[in-house]
Amino acid sequence: MNGNEIAKLILNAAYQVHIELGPGLLESTYEACLLHELKNAGLEVDGQINYQ
């Protein structure tokens, strides 16, 4: 999979989350839904990592 194909998957996932949820929710909600969509698209993703 090349960079353009990955970018297309990411943009599509973000668009789907936007369409389904709309505005006004917490960032953590959008993040969880976007991670779910990206995993369903076949990408290996992690959420935010806190280094301490």
Side-chain angles (χ1 to χ4, degrees), residues 46-52:
D46 290 320
Q48 296 183 40
I49 300 171
N50 295 322
Y51 293 103
Q52 294 184 15

Side-chain angles (χ1 to χ4, degrees), residues 32-52:
C33 293
L34 181 58
L35 289 173
H36 178 77
E37 288 292 325
L38 292 172
K39 288 177 183 178
N40 282 346
L43 299 175
E44 292 183 27
V45 295
D46 290 320
Q48 296 183 40
I49 300 171
N50 295 322
Y51 293 103
Q52 294 184 15

Side-chain angles (χ1 to χ4, degrees), residues 1-36:
M1 191 176 310
N2 67 36
N4 284 338
E5 292 169 333
I6 294 170
K8 189 174 183 178
L9 290 174
I10 293 169
L11 288 173
N12 186 51
Y15 180 73
Q16 291 303 317
V17 170
H18 171 73
I19 293 299
E20 290 294 322
L21 299 181
L25 300 174
L26 295 174
E27 177 184 343
S28 58
T29 304
Y30 294 112
E31 179 184 2
C33 293
L34 181 58
L35 289 173
H36 178 77

